[in-house]
Amino acid sequence: MYRKLALYINGEFIESDGREQTAVVNPATGETIGHLPVATTHDLDAALAAAQRAFSSWRKSSPLERAAILRKVGELSRSRAREIGRNITLDEGKPLDEAIVEVTSCSEHADWHAEECRRIYGRVIPARDPAIHQFVSREPVGVCAAFSPWNFPYNQAIRKVAAAIGAGCTIILKGPEEAPSAVMAIAEMFDEAGLPPGVLNVVWGNPAHISEYLIRSPIVRKISFTGSVQVGKALAALAGAHMKRATLELGGHSPVLVFEDADVEAAAAMLARFKVRNAGQVCVSPTRFYVQEKAYERFLAKFTDVMCSVKVGNGLEAGTEMGPLANARRVPAMQRFVDDAVARGGQILGGGGASAAQASQGNFFNPTVVTGLPDDSLLMSEEPFGPIAPVVRFRDADEVIARANSLPFGLSSYVFTGSLKTAHKVSGALEAGMVNINHFGSGRAETPFGGVKDSGIGSEGGTESFDGYLVTKFVTQI
Ligand code: NAD
């Protein structure tokens, strides 16, 4: 049913072999589907040594060699998308079609980095003395430690691995223990594609222990983390204490601004579908819905209608549009938002929890719409990371821009308007790493993905992707 799980160190897959193991649970059924070996300190040291050894030759590898391996992984990913997707549905819970699309669309990160790694250019500086030759080159930073989360287990891991390997770095990846299958598949595909031993290593275990051990190691020169703001800040502080570079893709609380001159019903339907993708467990999920007064009732009616018609169930069953939450702790986390909303005078227009039958099977929580909330309520100010959406009114552009920018987050944002002038004004004013106007267009391999303010540092994807994995060297020669 479910795939085999292992550590991957120095080109070898290492099964539990007496090590401690953690259980992998299907969130739609509560069944244990696999066991994951926990890396010992000896394993972590072996991964560090392997990555350091491999870096001495991989840093000098031809970009053509790196590109060939990345391209091969892109091809293998597409050919295995169904099998990888099925395992993602089993350990993470999202509907099978969504899981397969995650693999096929995000295999483009392997293709993109294969192309871009051939274009890591330096530059020649016109020296002030004609006898002097001055140039700038960009070199791989060294051994990287990466920590990828459970919500998009293939997507979040392949981005980090492709960027590190394409840049000429080596990498130790700690994947998500709760949804490990996609990272295992990535390791297998790089192995088959001919990646030299030690360039990629995969470890599992206690996240806090492993991250601290790796970040403190003098061998590691750079970290990359995707996850919550709280953990991101702790890892950034540790990285700072040891002067390590960091790429951090953290939480968001994406505002949605729907102006009355937009195609309001179409926007409502699109946004409701987008909101329930991966049960709302998406860092760029639309989160605070501000709708201009005259459009409010029309938007709310359509939005609630679509949200409440979503078919919730086991992601392997045909017709399922939204699966369970990925892990059991997310259910009380959602309930906390609902309880606070009710206490603050909000109205729950649909969802609000799960039926007894759903709850007896897995971590289900139905799509929920909330109205009448003040801006300082929990749902309007903390990241829900689930299928729950507050809808509130606004009067004009200046007011809604101020409210949209009022939180410490700055990841994605969404604007729906028929006016070019409004689109221009709002996109310039929003404090966000990504602004989507009248459609959803971020997260592609060729576009930079990242946040500002508490939402993180650096970009993954786009021509910016390698910036976090390269250091600048200036050479002056007479
Ligand atoms: P969490 O903060 O405990 O964990 C989030 C992720 O970070 C997990 O993958 C976890 O394994 C990892 N992690 C936790 N502590 C770590 C540490 N000390 N070192 C290294 N990795 C560590 O929260 P959770 O309950 O798993 O998820 C809920 C919250 O996490 C959400 O509210 C959301 O903000 C955030 N999250 C964000 C993303 C994203 O794409 N930005 C992805 C997953 C989770």
Side-chain angles (χ1 to χ4, degrees):
M1 277 288 280
Y2 184 68
R3 60 152 306 128
K4 254 203 225 150
L5 303 169
L7 304 164
Y8 180 61
I9 297 172
N10 199 28
E12 282 184 36
F13 290 92
I14 304 163
E15 289 181 36
S16 92
D17 203 14
R19 288 170 180 78
E20 192 190 323
Q21 296 186 67
T22 61
V24 180
V25 174
N26 179 339
T29 63
E31 282 170 303
T32 296
I33 51 176
H35 290 95
L36 194 60
V38 170
T40 60
T41 303
H42 175 76
D43 293 325
L44 297 180
D45 287 337
L48 285 163
Q52 186 178 36
R53 238 182 353 260
F55 181 63
S56 61
S57 49
W58 190 247
R59 71 195 301 271
K60 297 182 207 135
S61 60
S62 158
L64 293 188
E65 181 190 352
R66 306 200 294 266
I69 290 171
L70 286 164
R71 263 201 305 275
K72 180 76 187 159
V73 169
E75 282 162 24
L76 288 171
S77 290
R78 282 182 283 274
S79 71
R80 292 178 192 175
R82 194 166 178 85
E83 170 199 332
I84 301 170
R86 190 168 182 285
N87 281 314
I88 293 176
T89 297
L90 284 171
D91 61 23
E92 200 270 350
K94 66 183 66 174
L96 181 59
D97 287 350
E98 244 182 80
I100 294 172
V101 168
E102 176 180 341
V103 180
T104 51
S105 62
C106 298
S107 57
E108 286 184 24
H109 288 287
D111 306 335
W112 170 259
H113 288 87
E115 292 157 15
E116 282 297 299
C117 77
R118 300 176 62 182
R119 291 188 270 274
I120 298 177
Y121 301 117
R123 73 181 194 276
V124 173
I125 294 177
R128 54 180 69 192
D129 180 337
I132 295 175
H133 180 53
Q134 293 185 320
F135 64 94
V136 177
S137 65
R138 301 173 82 207
E139 300 185 347
V141 59
V143 175
C144 306
F147 310 95
S148 62
W150 44 262
N151 59 336
F152 287 94
Y154 177 86
N155 171 14
Q156 307 282 17
I158 193 78
R159 286 163 177 268
K160 298 182 192 312
V161 173
I165 287 177
C169 296
T170 58
I171 179 166
I172 303 169
L173 173 66
K174 190 204 77 61
E177 286 73 17
E178 289 156 320
S181 62
V183 167
M184 285 309 315
I186 288 172
E188 253 168 31
M189 292 186 290
F190 272 103
D191 194 77
E192 275 182 57
L195 190 72
V199 176
L200 167 65
N201 305 273
V202 172
V203 295
W204 311 102
N206 176 305
H209 168 68
I210 294 187
S211 58
E212 175 146 6
Y213 196 84
L214 294 181
I215 295 171
R216 281 184 191 282
S217 165
I219 291 173
V220 168
R221 296 308 326 153
K222 186 239 157 53
I223 69 158
S224 176
F225 170 75
T226 300
S228 61
V229 171
Q230 192 192 3
V231 174
K233 284 185 175 176
L235 298 192
L238 192 58
H242 295 271
M243 203 46 75
K244 314 273 163 98
R245 285 162 186 256
T247 300
L248 301 158
E249 200 271 276
L250 308 178
H253 202 290
S254 305
V256 181
L257 283 54
V258 182
F259 287 84
E260 60 200 19
D261 56 13
D263 184 343
V264 174
E265 272 88 6
M270 278 168 70
L271 283 160
R273 294 272 160 216
F274 197 51
K275 177 70 207 173
V276 297
R277 187 170 69 114
N278 197 20
Q281 303 165 117
V282 183
C283 52
V284 294
S285 187
T287 301
R288 289 170 278 156
F289 294 75
Y290 299 102
V291 185
Q292 203 165 14
E293 276 167 342
K294 276 193 197 147
Y296 180 81
E297 296 298 342
R298 273 187 298 146
F299 179 90
L300 186 61
K302 184 70 184 178
F303 184 74
T304 308
D305 186 41
V306 179
M307 285 283 277
C308 293
S309 69
V310 169
K311 186 165 183 289
V312 179
N314 186 322
L316 286 184
E317 281 164 17
T320 294
E321 294 171 314
M322 189 183 102
L325 303 180
N327 43 61
R329 65 183 173 279
R330 299 306 307 154
V331 178
M334 288 305 101
Q335 196 56 52
R336 182 170 159 259
F337 285 102
V338 171
D339 293 347
D340 179 79
V342 172
R344 298 298 305 271
Q347 291 89 50
I348 311 297
L349 297 190
S355 69
Q358 286 174 312
S360 70
Q361 284 166 10
N363 314 325
F364 291 99
F365 200 95
N366 292 314
T368 300
V369 181
V370 186
T371 57
L373 282 182
D375 283 0
D376 64 350
S377 59
L378 207 57
L379 188 54
M380 288 294 286
S381 54
E382 268 190 32
E383 185 180 29
F385 219 62
I388 173 165
V391 184
V392 297
R393 301 168 197 259
F394 74 88
R395 282 188 311 279
D396 60 43
D398 289 329
E399 177 218 320
V400 76
I401 289 167
R403 289 167 75 191
N405 288 342
S406 65
L407 296 188
F409 302 98
L411 193 57
S412 196
S413 58
Y414 303 92
V415 183
F416 286 83
T417 177
S419 156
L420 262 181
K421 199 171 159 204
T422 303
H424 190 67
K425 172 178 171 131
V426 176
S427 66
L430 283 173
E431 293 168 0
M434 293 166 278
V435 182
N436 295 263
I437 300 177
N438 292 327
H439 86 136
F440 310 124
S442 47
R444 303 283 183 222
E446 67 275 20
T447 60
F449 189 97
V452 297
K453 297 163 78 178
D454 275 6
S455 293
I457 299 172
S459 290
E460 293 182 325
T463 51
E464 290 81 358
S465 198
F466 285 125
D467 291 350
Y469 294 86
L470 298 168
V471 286
T472 298
K473 181 180 276 178
F474 166 64
V475 177
T476 184
Q477 182 184 344
I478 194 156

